[in-house]
């Protein structure tokens, strides 16, 4: 598992919020750190692409509405995307347990992220000192090299340790847990994706009457047994009907001022 753990640790570093190598945030944080993408990559590395994609979809639903304004985040999606999904695949317990693991590891990853931000203030201070002295090499080292080295330590190393040692013990550990613990994790793992979807709906829906479209999609999947392609066609049709036939808001024409023929004294 040395090669597999190393590749997953490398991807975890490349997808970090402060890693610049994959076109900055574009290819890193906003692409390979999405659980939907990382699930496929981790599954490919561990030799189980199907399970990786299934777990990635379930985990993505939990964090689908998460935003990170200014680097502030309730959970570190980068650790969710790689060590958590890898442990979920290795555990062999299904996507529900993987979601519960991801939620726990994501919160723990936030602690490491905040620690990195605190440590980076040290390098920032050293860069200011080098700037005052006119030391160009010191500015470069403390602005580009040492912060990225710290990022590697805090991303690659924990991920490598979790995957390398987790591969040996995670399956036996999960099997040794009482049934009530596994049942609780399954229940929580089934609820969390619904919470993520609810948060997303709360952000994008302007009027509660539009929830009827969401309920129509639910009926199509659960009761009519439509696949995703058919559901997309139904959704496109409903969107077209809503756009073309919604009532237009009457425009208020500003009345022109009535001229006063009488002179004002």
């Amino acid at each position: 598992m040395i090669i597999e753990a190393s590749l997953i640790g490398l991807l975890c570093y490349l997808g970090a919020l402060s890693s610049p190598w994959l076109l900055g945030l574009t290819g890193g944080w906003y692409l390979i750190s999405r659980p939907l993408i990382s699930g496929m990559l981790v599954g490919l590395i561990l030799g189980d692409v199907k399970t990786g994609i299934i777990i990635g979809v379930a985990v993505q639903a939990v964090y689908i509405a998460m935003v990170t304004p200014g680097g502030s985040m309730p959970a570190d999606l980068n650790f969710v995307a790689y060590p958590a999904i890898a442990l979920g695949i290795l555990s062999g317990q299904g996507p529900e347990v993987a979601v519960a693991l991801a939620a726990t590891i994501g919160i723990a990853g936030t602690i490491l992220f905040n620690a990195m931000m605190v440590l980076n203030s040290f390098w920032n201070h050293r860069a200011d000192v080098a700037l005052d002295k006119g030391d160009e090499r010191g500015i470069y080292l403390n602005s580009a090299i040492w912060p990225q080295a710290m990022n590697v330590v805090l991303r690659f190393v924990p991920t490598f340790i979790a995957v390398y040692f987790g591969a040996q013990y995670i399956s036996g550990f999960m099997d040794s847990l009482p049934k009530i613990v596994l049942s609780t994790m399954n229940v929580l793992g089934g609820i969390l994706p619904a919470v993520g979807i609810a948060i997303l709906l709360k952000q994008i829906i302007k009027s509660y009457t539009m929830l009827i479209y969401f309920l129509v999609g639910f009926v199509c999947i659960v009761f009519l047994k439509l696949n995703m392609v058919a559901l997309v066609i139904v959704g496109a049709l409903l969107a077209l009907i809503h756009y073309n036939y919604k009532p237009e808001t009457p425009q208020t024409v500003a009345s022109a001022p009535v001229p006063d023929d009488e002179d004002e004294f």
Side-chain angles (χ1 to χ4, degrees), residues 60-187:
Q60 180 70 71
V62 179
Y63 298 96
I64 193 170
M66 193 184 80
V67 293
T68 56
S72 175
M73 50 188 171
D76 194 323
L77 194 60
N78 185 240
F79 278 104
V80 169
Y82 288 100
I85 289 182
L87 291 177
I89 295 174
L90 294 171
S91 69
Q93 296 294 327
E96 293 83 8
V97 174
V99 167
L101 287 173
T104 305
I105 295 176
I107 296 174
T110 305
I111 299 174
L112 286 179
F113 177 79
N114 291 331
M116 185 185 69
M117 294 294 101
V118 173
L119 293 173
N120 279 345
S121 64
F122 170 75
W123 304 118
N124 187 39
H125 174 70
R126 287 173 57 92
D128 289 339
V129 173
L131 179 63
D132 293 336
K133 295 180 179 180
D135 183 3
E136 295 184 2
R137 183 174 181 273
I139 296 173
Y140 176 73
L141 289 175
N142 290 286
S143 299
I145 302 300
W146 302 132
Q148 286 303 313
M150 184 65 63
N151 197 14
V152 171
V153 172
L154 293 179
R155 298 286 171 178
F156 178 86
V157 175
T159 302
F160 178 87
I161 293 174
V163 176
Y164 182 73
F165 291 101
Q168 304 176 44
Y169 303 112
I170 187 64
S171 181
F173 173 75
M174 297 302 295
D175 292 337
S176 66
L177 290 176
K179 291 184 178 180
I180 188 171
V181 175
L182 291 175
S183 299
T184 303
M185 296 179 71
N186 276 292
V187 172

Side-chain angles (χ1 to χ4, degrees), residues 232-257:
V232 168
I233 296 174
V234 172
L237 175 62
L238 292 176
L240 180 64
I241 294 173
H242 178 83
Y243 179 78
N244 287 335
Y245 299 104
K246 66 179 179 179
E248 297 182 359
T249 303
Q251 297 181 354
T252 304
V253 179
S255 58

